[in-house]
Amino acid sequence: MDILKKIHREITPLSNEDSFLVFDRTKDFFDFPIHFHPEMELNFISNGEGVQRIVGDSIEEITNVELVLVGPSLYHGWEQNRCDNKNIREVTIQFHNDLFDNAFLRRSIMKPLRDLFDRSVHGILFSEEVALQLQPRLFKVSKLDGIDYFMELLSILFDLANSRNQRLLSTSTIHLENFENSEKIKTLYDFVQENYASKITLGQVSELLNMSNVSFNRFIKKRTGKTFVEYLNDVRIGYASRWLIEKDLSISEIAFMCGFNSIANFNRVFRKSKGRTPTRYREDFSGIQRVL
């Protein structure tokens, strides 16, 4: 499939200590390049009729309201396509795919949730009726905190698990290499998450993984499709985009907090990643982004 050539691995700003990432925003243009990540994602869209959705090998135009659950490492994306609405509302909830561990999901009471997650590897489209029923709760969820948020999300997932007229989107599960399915990658991921704000050299990470620089370069390129610098910048930009919305700090302060020692380099890397400058990104964003 030609589409596979356009896929990139998204680095979400969820750390090991975080549970959820929630976005609630209104946009006048809806375009998310095709990507994948190990986190699960629940995505609600209203006023998006004509947007094109890609989930695995499924490519469809969406209706005015839709709700989709995307399983871990299943590629997905949205394109503006024929949508001309300037008031598109999006609520996206991402959570670690091991947030509900196997021991928990094996309990008999959790069977609906376990089955839901098993089906999510294809991507699940829920009925418009269910999406509309859950709309008020999804709009409210970004305003909750702590255990209230967790319990409401769990309740929403159970309601989805038991809902009627679900439809699997991708006819097959397209197995992209699991980024985390490697001890070396896991070691690298943990090290970068702990040290992204500091200078990290190729020699440091090569030594950490007991590899030569050349071997490490081949390894990271095969696993991520990117050089180490590109991967590291993805992590840093993930945190920068989060803080541009959450924190009342200058762009230069955020750049240095994320490990960039040059504001010009930060602006260049950010624009390449997000398609706009940090200033424009902050101005264009209308909504809530929270990590819990």
Side-chain angles (χ1 to χ4, degrees):
M1 294 177 67
D2 291 339
I3 203 169
L4 292 173
K5 299 176 182 178
K6 301 192 292 181
I7 299 171
H8 74 278
R9 199 274 190 190
E10 181 183 60
I11 307 296
T12 67
L14 276 172
S15 72
N16 290 335
E17 291 75 34
D18 298 323
S19 297
F20 315 97
L21 172 66
V22 56
F23 298 92
D24 184 345
R25 52 195 172 187
T26 301
K27 312 178 67 174
D28 60 8
F29 188 76
F30 202 90
D31 193 11
F32 285 92
I34 303 168
H35 63 284
F36 72 100
H37 42 71
E39 295 81 13
M40 300 190 73
E41 179 173 303
L42 183 64
N43 192 277
F44 173 87
I45 301 169
S46 62
N47 301 325
E49 186 170 5
V51 165
Q52 182 169 266
R53 174 201 347 104
I54 299 134
V55 175
D57 60 11
S58 169
I59 303 176
E60 299 176 342
E61 280 192 10
I62 74 173
T63 57
N64 195 50
V65 175
E66 81 154 21
L67 182 59
V68 169
L69 179 65
V70 178
S73 297
L74 175 63
Y75 70 77
H76 55 285
W78 286 264
E79 298 174 349
Q80 184 75 10
N81 196 36
R82 296 190 310 105
C83 181
D84 57 6
N85 199 307
K86 301 299 182 183
N87 190 38
I88 306 169
R89 180 83 177 265
E90 173 212 1
V91 177
T92 298
I93 301 170
Q94 294 176 343
F95 54 96
H96 290 295
N97 61 357
D98 61 355
L99 179 65
F100 306 100
D101 67 16
N102 289 331
F104 181 61
L105 290 174
R106 280 199 301 269
R107 311 297 178 185
S108 59
I109 197 173
M110 300 302 295
K111 186 178 186 302
L113 202 60
R114 182 173 70 247
D115 292 345
L116 177 74
F117 291 166
D118 287 344
R119 295 193 301 275
S120 75
V121 298
H122 294 271
I124 304 171
L125 175 67
F126 301 97
S127 71
E128 186 171 327
E129 180 183 4
V130 168
L132 288 170
Q133 287 174 351
L134 291 176
Q135 178 177 293
R137 294 169 65 188
L138 289 165
F139 285 172
K140 182 181 176 182
V141 75
S142 64
K143 300 174 179 63
L144 299 176
D145 286 307
I147 195 66
D148 291 333
Y149 178 86
F150 179 83
M151 296 304 295
E152 179 64 357
L153 176 60
L154 187 62
S155 176
I156 287 171
L157 290 172
F158 259 97
D159 286 347
L160 290 175
N162 292 309
S163 67
R164 303 181 65 175
N165 300 319
Q166 301 176 25
R167 178 161 65 88
L168 300 185
L169 291 173
S170 184
T171 58
S172 61
T173 55
I174 299 174
H175 294 288
L176 299 172
E177 187 171 23
N178 191 338
F179 180 80
E180 275 73 23
N181 190 21
S182 161
E183 283 301 316
K184 288 184 182 293
I185 282 291
K186 183 66 166 59
T187 299
L188 173 65
Y189 175 84
D190 290 344
F191 179 80
V192 170
Q193 288 292 325
E194 292 173 7
N195 297 282
Y196 65 88
S198 307
K199 181 179 180 180
I200 302 177
T201 67
L202 179 64
Q204 278 180 291
V205 291
S206 298
E207 183 178 354
L208 176 70
L209 300 183
N210 196 28
M211 303 172 77
S212 70
N213 288 359
V214 173
S215 296
F216 174 75
N217 274 331
R218 285 199 298 265
F219 172 76
I220 192 70
K221 187 73 173 178
K222 179 181 178 181
R223 282 285 182 166
T224 69
K226 301 179 181 183
T227 67
F228 174 65
V229 171
E230 290 170 337
Y231 166 68
L232 177 59
N233 282 340
D234 272 356
V235 174
R236 288 170 168 167
I237 293 300
Y239 280 99
S241 61
R242 167 179 166 181
W243 292 339
L244 281 167
I245 306 306
E246 291 184 344
K247 296 181 181 293
D248 186 21
L249 296 171
S250 70
I251 289 172
S252 60
E253 285 176 310
I254 289 173
F256 291 117
M257 284 171 59
C258 292
F260 291 92
N261 57 15
S262 161
I263 188 65
N265 185 45
F266 171 70
N267 286 332
R268 179 183 61 79
V269 174
F270 192 97
R271 182 162 192 161
K272 182 178 179 181
S273 174
K274 299 297 183 183
R276 66 196 77 182
T277 65
T279 300
R280 180 66 184 273
Y281 183 86
R282 177 175 260 173
E283 290 172 350
D284 286 353
F285 193 97
S286 174
I288 301 168
Q289 175 176 307
R290 297 178 63 200
V291 177
L292 299 101

